Amino acid sequence: MTHHAKQLFPIALQELLEIGEKARKQREDRDRAKHGALPRETGACKHGARGQSFTEKEKIQLTFNLK
């Protein structure tokens, strides 16, 4: 790897990660809009869930347990 490539690689990697994250958020927003808000996503419930972070497995379990 040339010196120039070594300098550009971390920058390019970070940009690709940001693009992927943005795409993931857009997909989630589209899915949410398609299915409507679940009870835990309504404005009344948001204050209680602030700061909580769920793994993908937990999100799936919560989704199916609420139905």
Side-chain angles (χ1 to χ4, degrees), residues 8-24:
L8 290 180
F9 184 77
I11 297 167
L13 179 61
Q14 184 60 37
E15 288 182 14
L16 286 172
L17 291 173
E18 289 171 5
I19 290 169
E21 182 69 15
K22 184 177 179 183
R24 183 187 63 80

Side-chain angles (χ1 to χ4, degrees), residues 2-38:
T2 66
H3 179 68
H4 185 67
K6 286 180 183 178
Q7 289 177 323
L8 290 180
F9 184 77
I11 297 167
L13 179 61
Q14 184 60 37
E15 288 182 14
L16 286 172
L17 291 173
E18 289 171 5
I19 290 169
E21 182 69 15
K22 184 177 179 183
R24 183 187 63 80
K25 287 181 183 180
Q26 289 174 343
R27 278 193 307 273
E28 288 177 354
D29 289 345
R30 277 195 308 269
D31 289 347
R32 221 176 273 123
K34 220 186 286 183
H35 300 293
L38 295 173

